[in-house]
Amino acid sequence: MNPLITAAALDAALGSETLWSRAGRRRSSLRVLDVRWKLGGPPGRDEFAKGHIPSAVYVDLDTELAGHGLPTDGRHPLPPIADLQAAARSWGLSDGDAAVVYDDVSGTSAARAWWLLRHAGFDNVRVLDGGLAAWVAAGGALEPGESVVAPGDVHLEYGQLPVLDADAAAAVAAQGVLLDVRAGERFRGEVEPVDPRAGHIPGAVSAPTADTIGVDGRLLPPEALAERFAALGVDAQAKVGVYCGSGVTAAHAALAMEAAGLPIPALYPGSFSAWSNDPARPVAVGAV
């Protein structure tokens, strides 16, 4: 399944929903999830209240799409599955539903929800290509305020997508292709605004997320994405892992790879925030 959906296709899907809930009230089988989030703010919920895609429900990345642990677990570790399931039910998700996730940062935060739901066994989820800007540019309406939805009954269980711990990430760097999708200057160790040490996991390859996004905020066409990944040593047979700063943007790399027709790579949820907080882990600097 194509992991992306266009604004026009989403508008058409929303206009065709006629399903009814077991309680007898009209209920859409398509849930739209607003995952606006930026490191350092402003709060996504405030932006949601100003205007969102009709029927959308706000999803808080920090509290619903991430857990909390030790520094060596990273800044955005995976939430316990029971917590994710409870959150998903509060969004109105039920088994058999479809979901579309969006943000206002070219999918880099919405992809976290996409990846988590896929990892937890909810397969029918897509990312709005180009996000809220694409919706508005296509003439889509926005509605203000909060959204209230009937709770769903979705059942979730982790284990559907490959994940890496620190040891496995090091092994992929040595034996396969470990993509570091942070900005190049962070990879090289020239700057580090968040984590305790600058640099990258030894053996990793610099693959900035920005290189997969076009000037219109949408993912590059599949052929261009495939060419980019091939230049990084990635093909359908390669053993591939991805990481970023805290595990959020790495999900966007997984999205881009599937959009390119490649297998979804193994993701290191702790990413460099976990790695750099462990003094026993070596850190490399420079272009390689």
Side-chain angles (χ1 to χ4, degrees):
M1 182 179 78
N2 186 340
L4 303 172
I5 187 171
T6 65
L10 174 58
D11 185 52
L14 287 173
S16 67
E17 288 298 326
T18 57
L19 296 186
W20 293 74
S21 71
R22 286 189 291 272
R25 292 174 295 175
R26 186 173 180 179
R27 162 185 198 282
S28 171
S29 65
L30 174 61
R31 303 273 19 127
V32 181
L33 308 178
D34 184 312
V35 198
R36 275 181 276 182
W37 173 86
K38 296 183 181 70
L39 185 64
R45 188 177 295 278
D46 293 345
E47 296 301 307
F48 176 87
K50 293 176 184 176
H52 53 267
I53 294 175
S55 82
V57 176
Y58 180 69
V59 175
D60 190 304
L61 189 149
D62 283 320
T63 63
E64 296 180 304
L65 302 182
H68 303 281
L70 299 172
T72 48
D73 295 322
R75 282 181 278 115
H76 290 107
L78 303 189
I81 189 60
D83 292 351
L84 179 63
Q85 179 174 275
R89 290 179 175 183
S90 76
W91 309 330
L93 274 185
S94 291
D95 294 328
D97 284 351
V100 171
V101 296
Y102 75 91
D103 58 30
D104 58 356
V105 284
S106 301
T108 53
S109 60
R112 170 70 167 209
W114 169 83
W115 185 90
L116 268 179
L117 288 171
R118 291 284 300 272
H119 183 42
F122 189 93
D123 292 331
N124 197 357
V125 54
R126 296 186 182 188
V127 175
L128 176 59
D129 196 14
L132 192 63
W135 174 263
V136 172
L142 298 179
E143 64 180 20
E146 296 297 323
S147 292
V148 178
V149 297
D153 60 7
V154 70
H155 296 84
L156 300 178
E157 183 177 354
Y158 285 148
Q160 306 310 306
L161 294 179
V163 296
L164 303 171
D165 60 14
D167 288 338
V172 172
Q175 303 164 8
V177 183
L178 182 65
L179 301 178
D180 181 322
V181 303
R182 298 173 300 157
E185 58 268 26
R186 291 185 70 189
F187 176 90
R188 295 187 295 271
E190 297 165 4
V191 298
E192 182 44 64
V194 185
D195 294 318
R197 290 188 286 167
H200 59 268
I201 297 174
V205 176
S206 181
T209 293
D211 292 349
T212 64
I213 300 170
V215 294
D216 58 358
R218 299 177 61 177
L219 271 175
L220 297 176
E223 315 79 51
L225 290 172
E227 289 178 5
R228 174 184 181 272
F229 286 117
L232 296 169
V234 174
D235 58 30
Q237 288 71 48
K239 183 177 183 180
V240 183
V242 293
Y243 77 94
C244 58
S246 70
V248 171
T249 310
H252 188 273
L255 175 74
M257 283 187 60
E258 184 166 70
L262 296 165
I264 293 178
L267 188 146
Y268 177 21
S271 284
F272 196 68
S273 59
W275 183 280
S276 62
N277 269 289
D278 184 348
R281 299 285 174 186
V283 170
V285 296
V288 293

